[in-house]
């Protein structure tokens, strides 16, 4: 049996003259978490929706999408019945209770009544929502709604979970809880594909990822290796400068990005950055290791959450 769960080759999607996704290719291995990281408008949602047939790709004869062996263009229903899908928007039925929302979904999948109530209890326990079973959706917090949507996507025990920005707008505590649950699913062998504009989320969860900007893939690989292999390891952040920093005073092995409100100085040499930092008020400087956000800035000139 092939280990490739998703295969995408040369996929394009345009809206009028706007190229939302441009010549994208990637593949996802069974039991791994694959990320699409990029800022607003990078094309992540469009790509994610093309995987389950909610958006149709351009020129299908010159491109490939295979999800669990099916082409979403022709086998949307097969994919939807085998995969769990967590869309970006909260699309729960506000008039119904937590339990009823799950019940209706389970009926779509043809589960029997007895099976359904057992599965609902398991899922509510898994997502730590048991005490909200009888609550109306309008009485739930944003974090509870997201957890319920994930529970709903798991009702058919999918081997593939497609999540579009699962933790956007949630506080760090709920975000961590969701990450823990997703890690547990990965340990159980579920394949996960997720879109995010949080570098930390990609770093925490993804075995591999692509970084996207304006519809294009700008980089692909394992998060730690991408950082290790493509950018200087240390960054000095300098804040609150009234005048531009004098680049003449900085060794040319140190790369400078940013403007008065926040400079970022990158180097292989921690000592070089420490020396520069010593020229400033300690409250205005901070040295740290570089990360995916820095890599994105270096490759695109943009910030992930600008
Ligand atoms: P976000 O993080 O904001 O969801 P994204 O990376 O998911 O961003 P997409 O939602 O895929 O990006 O959008 C990519 C581009 O395609 C954007 O410029 C967006 O305005 C455009 N777009 C998306 N859907 C449509 C549509 N139905 N009609 C026209 N343009 C669209």
């Amino acid at each position: 049996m092939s280990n490739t769960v998703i295969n995408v080759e040369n996929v394009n999607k345009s809206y009028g003259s706007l190229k939302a996704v441009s010549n994208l290719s990637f593949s996802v291995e069974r039991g791994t978490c694959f990320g699409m990281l990029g800022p607003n408008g990078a094309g992540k949602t469009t790509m994610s929706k093309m995987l389950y047939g909610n958006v149709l790709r351009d020129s299908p004869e010159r491109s490939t999408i295979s999800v669990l062996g099916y082409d979403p263009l022709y086998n949307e229903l097969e994919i939807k019945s085998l995969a769990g899908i967590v869309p970006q928007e909260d699309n729960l039925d506000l008039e119904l209770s937590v339990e009823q929302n799950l019940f209706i979904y389970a009926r779509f999948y043809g589960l029997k009544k007895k099976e359904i109530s057992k599965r609902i209890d398991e899922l509510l326990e898994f997502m730590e929502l048991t005490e909200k079973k009888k609550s109306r959706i309008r009485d739930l917090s944003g974090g509870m709604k997201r957890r319920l949507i994930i529970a709903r996507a798991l009702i058919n025990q999918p081997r593939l979970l497609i999540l579009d920005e699962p933790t956007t707008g949630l506080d760090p505590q709920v975000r961590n809880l969701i990450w823990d649950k997703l890690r547990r699913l990965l340990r159980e062998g579920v394949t996960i594909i997720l879109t995010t504009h949080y570098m930390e989320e990609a770093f925490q969860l993804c075995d591999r990822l692509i970084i996207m900007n304006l519809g294009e893939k700008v980089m692909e690989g394992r998060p730690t290796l991408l950082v290790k292999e493509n950018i200087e390891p240390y960054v000095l952040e300098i804040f609150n400068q009234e005048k531009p920093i004098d680049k003449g005073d900085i060794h040319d092995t140190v790369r400078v990005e940013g403007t008065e409100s926040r400079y970022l100085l990158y180097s292989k040499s921690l000592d070089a950055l420490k020396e520069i930092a010593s020229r400033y008020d300690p409250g205005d400087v901070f040295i740290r290791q570089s990360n995916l956000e820095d890599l994105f800035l270096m490759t695109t000139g943009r910030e992930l959450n600008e």
Side-chain angles (χ1 to χ4, degrees):
M1 194 167 53
S2 159
N3 243 355
T4 304
V5 174
I6 295 177
N7 187 36
V8 169
E9 282 172 35
N10 309 322
V11 165
N12 290 279
K13 178 69 194 176
S14 295
Y15 293 108
S17 60
L18 180 107
K19 274 219 134 188
V21 169
S22 190
N23 203 29
L24 200 59
S25 301
F26 62 87
S27 63
V28 181
E29 298 296 292
R30 191 177 306 281
T32 64
C33 180
F34 184 86
M36 292 191 268
L37 175 69
N40 291 139
K44 308 178 300 291
T45 298
T46 304
M47 186 59 243
S48 178
K49 286 184 173 171
M50 283 194 279
L51 294 176
Y52 52 88
N54 271 31
V55 166
L56 303 182
R57 65 187 187 273
D58 299 340
S59 320
E61 67 289 350
R62 276 182 274 130
S63 59
T64 305
I65 301 185
S66 167
V67 178
L68 299 162
Y70 293 104
D71 185 334
L73 211 55
Y74 310 107
N75 300 105
E76 181 189 342
L77 281 182
E78 283 82 351
I79 293 171
K80 283 183 174 157
S81 71
L82 291 171
I85 293 159
V86 176
Q88 199 175 108
E89 62 282 357
D90 288 344
N91 59 356
L92 295 159
D93 191 326
L94 293 181
E95 299 310 318
L96 301 181
S97 69
V98 165
E99 179 183 28
Q100 288 165 332
N101 265 276
L102 293 177
F103 184 86
I104 286 182
Y105 230 68
R107 291 298 269 180
F108 287 149
Y109 286 102
L111 270 68
K112 301 212 173 63
K113 272 196 178 153
K114 226 170 148 191
E115 259 179 281
I116 293 179
S117 67
K118 188 165 162 267
R119 186 81 189 125
I120 287 177
D121 287 346
E122 280 168 7
L123 286 172
L124 290 179
E125 199 187 323
F126 179 61
M127 291 312 286
E128 301 183 26
L129 285 168
T130 303
E131 72 280 19
K132 297 291 171 188
K133 185 171 173 178
K134 303 285 176 197
S135 302
R136 286 279 188 98
I137 301 304
R138 57 178 80 257
D139 299 330
L140 301 183
S141 68
M144 289 170 187
K145 284 185 204 158
R146 289 312 286 171
R147 275 143 64 195
L148 179 57
I149 292 173
I150 296 174
R152 191 184 65 181
L154 295 172
I155 207 112
N156 55 334
Q157 297 186 291
R159 305 313 293 156
L160 169 66
L161 195 56
I162 302 173
L163 302 122
D164 193 358
E165 305 212 359
T167 67
T168 293
L170 303 183
D171 62 52
Q173 210 183 342
V174 185
R175 188 170 294 163
N176 271 299
L177 187 143
I178 291 179
W179 291 349
D180 280 346
K181 303 301 174 188
L182 296 179
R183 279 194 207 99
R184 217 170 103 187
L185 291 168
L186 283 166
R187 282 200 298 277
E188 288 167 10
V190 174
T191 305
I192 293 182
I193 177 158
L194 78 97
T195 77
T196 182
H197 53 89
Y198 293 130
M199 167 290 286
E200 184 62 15
E201 181 156 276
F203 212 85
Q204 289 272 339
L205 293 175
C206 297
D207 299 290
R208 288 183 68 76
L209 55 83
I210 53 173
I211 300 182
M212 292 178 70
N213 185 41
L214 301 172
E216 292 183 0
K217 172 165 77 177
V218 290
M219 229 167 240
E220 174 168 11
R222 286 169 59 188
T224 40
L225 289 185
L226 278 175
V227 174
K228 222 182 246 174
E229 289 168 1
N230 294 292
I231 191 163
E232 304 89 336
Y234 305 108
V235 195
L236 163 64
E237 294 198 27
I238 307 177
F239 309 97
N240 308 321
Q241 296 311 297
E242 275 167 22
K243 343 181 255 203
I245 60 170
D246 184 352
K247 292 186 187 166
D249 281 351
I250 290 172
H251 196 272
D252 55 14
T253 57
V254 176
R255 187 167 58 84
V256 181
E257 300 252 17
T259 56
E260 279 115 277
S261 58
R262 179 170 166 251
Y263 285 103
L264 297 164
L265 276 60
Y266 295 91
S267 179
K268 278 186 194 156
S269 162
L270 190 55
D271 287 339
L273 296 183
K274 279 184 181 163
E275 189 281 311
I276 300 170
S278 69
R279 305 177 202 167
Y280 293 87
D281 179 333
D284 288 341
V285 290
F286 176 60
I287 295 181
R288 59 172 174 80
Q289 288 185 313
S290 56
N291 57 36
L292 284 172
E293 186 99 47
D294 298 303
L295 185 57
F296 187 80
L297 178 68
M298 185 184 83
T299 5
T300 65
R302 301 175 66 193
E303 300 204 30
L304 274 171
N305 292 292
E306 64 192 10

